[in-house]
Amino acid sequence: IYTFRKPDRNASRAPGEWQTFDIAFRAPRWAAGEKVENARLSVLHNGELIHDDVAVPASTGAGKSEGPSEEPLRLQDHGSATRFRNVWIKRLDLD
């Protein structure tokens, strides 16, 4: 979401150190094929709240266009050395 919203604070650790992200995401709401409510998310970065219930108005970056169907989760890098570990996905009731 960095293309439209800066984090509330910089919680990054030094380059080369493991970073942690806890993300609560609620998909956009759809009715009769029309989006009626934006997606929303909250993010803890290294234990600090950097996004608190932020509305996501459209797809992000190289993401597919929004639609009512569920799409797979994609992990992204920007060409630098990147590794992922301990990735957990859990369905939450955020209503």
Side-chain angles (χ1 to χ4, degrees), residues 20-88:
T20 65
F21 290 91
D22 295 286
I23 303 168
F25 175 79
R26 198 205 67 203
R29 302 295 193 229
W30 299 84
E34 298 290 322
K35 185 167 86 167
V36 295
E37 196 173 340
N38 287 331
R40 301 195 73 80
L41 61 76
S42 294
V43 179
L44 289 172
H45 181 195
N46 295 321
E48 292 188 43
L49 186 63
I50 64 167
H51 292 299
D52 188 11
D53 196 30
V54 173
V56 181
S59 64
T60 60
K64 291 184 178 183
S65 297
E66 288 184 307
S69 64
E70 290 186 11
E71 298 291 335
L73 173 71
R74 296 174 12 176
L75 301 176
Q76 175 182 343
D77 69 26
H78 289 282
S80 56
T82 303
R83 294 183 292 168
F84 299 96
R85 69 177 183 181
N86 299 330
V87 177
W88 302 320

Side-chain angles (χ1 to χ4, degrees), residues 2-20:
Y2 58 84
T3 58
F4 66 88
R5 171 73 187 256
K6 291 181 181 180
D8 293 337
R9 65 192 43 78
N10 181 353
S12 295
R13 294 183 178 144
E17 291 186 30
W18 283 106
Q19 311 290 324
T20 65

